[in-house]
Amino acid sequence: IGLSGLITPSLEEMAHVAKEMERQGFKIPLLIGGATTSRVHTAVKIEPNYPSGTTVYVTDASRAVGVCSNLLSNTSRDSYIAELKADYAAAREQHEGKKGKASYVSLEEARKHGFRTNWSKKPTPLSPPLSGGKTTAPSPDKGRAGEGLEVYVPPKPILLGVQKLENYPLNILVDIIDWTPFFQAWELAGRYPKILDDKVVGEEARKLFADAQAMLKKIVNEKWLSANAVFGLFPANSVNSDDIEIYTDEKRNKVAMTWHNLRQQTKKPADIPNYCLADYIAPKDSKVKDYIGGFAVTTGLGIDARVAEFEKQNDDYSAIMLKALADRLAEAFAEHLHLRVRREFWGYAADETLSNDDIIAEKYCGIRPAPGYPACPEHTEKGALFKLLQAPKNAAITLTESFAMLPTAAVSGFYFSHPQAQYFATGKIDKDQVADYAKRKGMTLEEAERWLAPVLSY
């Protein structure tokens, strides 16, 4: 039985499947793989749940053949399994040895040590406002508690509310594709364009790139795929230190969505904050009017029929190539829409003039974190975002019960305009924060622990 994990909720589901296989008396080997998995996770969280069988972490689908050959071999099977079990036991021991080294503070202390902004409704003559039009953000650690910070007045969006973009021209997105992750998806290490001249993988990379360019031309000219987007810009304020209330209109008395966030809880030096995304939005009690954005884009509409066609012809290479290119186009669409939001729809960076390389390097002002990523690792918040944007109706993007997006060539997240907003990893969190999060979300502690399993410190 093979399990492949695409997003972090898959990890807990895999552990559950292993428990069920043990409970029901299975003996068949269990193969674990996919983007979110690892050897250590398999050893620590999955293999102990299935002691009666054999659990194997498979780094890549192509390696499954060798793994299965070993498991079926009359001569090498036993020694192979014994080796695996010894390796996983060693991985667990090493993992246990690393645990406990991190030092955690209480949630209350972490909140007191959060990132601070000198919020103001109006700039003072002595302290000019931070410009929303800056192309690069100032140092994120400048002034932890507001000391020395320039006064910041949040910019009001030009266009408030939800907007949709249907059948967006794909040719606009082709020139802004970030090709480096494309080669990584094919397990070719190196940065584009240098990878094309690499002594080891250059020849293979050039062939792959030529094939990609040929298919990309067909995707655009023959309209193999369709692209849709929905985005919204809304009044917002932070509440309860870590949550963000998103309002239906400027009256700010009707909450359209409350976005629940997590805060870094490891002990930090005095000059480095315990970050939380809510820190970048003005607190409700400051009376400062702040704003936030949300978006969902896809370039995968129509892909299933085309992939099925390739698979019918046993052309797996083309099927995989199409999926990889659809993913790259989706990321390009997310980048392109963010650019338009900054310059046109929100307008806080109307004078931004960055090159494509600078945009890929994220040298612009503002961030767009996505649920499931390090700064906001909990996936269920995607459900509230999709409801806020009415993404199924406005962009034909839906969510599975594990909050994976369909079509899979899709990106969703939030927009922040704060000039000092930066990406960070929440890291592991302690039980007091999990309990507080569960209460704020209206979940039981057990439910919260299931969704937060990858970031639990205990």
Side-chain angles (χ1 to χ4, degrees), residues 2 10 12 22 55 66 112 140 166 168 171 181 198 216-217 235 299-300 307 313 321 334 345 361 370 378 405-406 425:
S10 314
E12 278 306 288
E22 180 68 20
T55 305
K112 283 178 185 171
E166 293 178 295
Y168 205 79
N171 60 304
D198 187 90
L216 203 49
K217 206 169 272 186
T299 53
V307 166
Q313 297 162 12
M321 176 67 78
F345 307 125
E378 211 271 273
M405 291 176 285
L406 294 175

Side-chain angles (χ1 to χ4, degrees), residues 119-121 152-161 232-238 244-252 259 277-284 286-294 341 345-348 366-367 388 414-419 421:
W119 301 104
S120 179
K121 295 178 202 175
Y152 177 55
V153 185
K156 182 181 177 179
I158 293 164
L159 189 66
L160 284 170
L233 299 170
F234 309 93
N237 283 111
S238 62
I244 298 168
E245 281 186 351
I246 300 173
Y247 307 109
T248 54
D249 54 44
E250 278 285 33
K251 289 177 186 172
R252 298 174 183 255
W259 180 19
L277 287 170
D279 293 343
Y280 299 131
I281 299 291
K284 193 174 185 176
S286 72
K287 307 293 184 191
V288 172
K289 291 183 174 182
D290 209 341
Y291 302 87
I292 199 168
V341 165
F345 307 125
W346 200 324
Y348 66 83
I367 56 172
L388 176 73
F414 295 87
Y415 295 129
F416 289 80
S417 66
H418 195 296

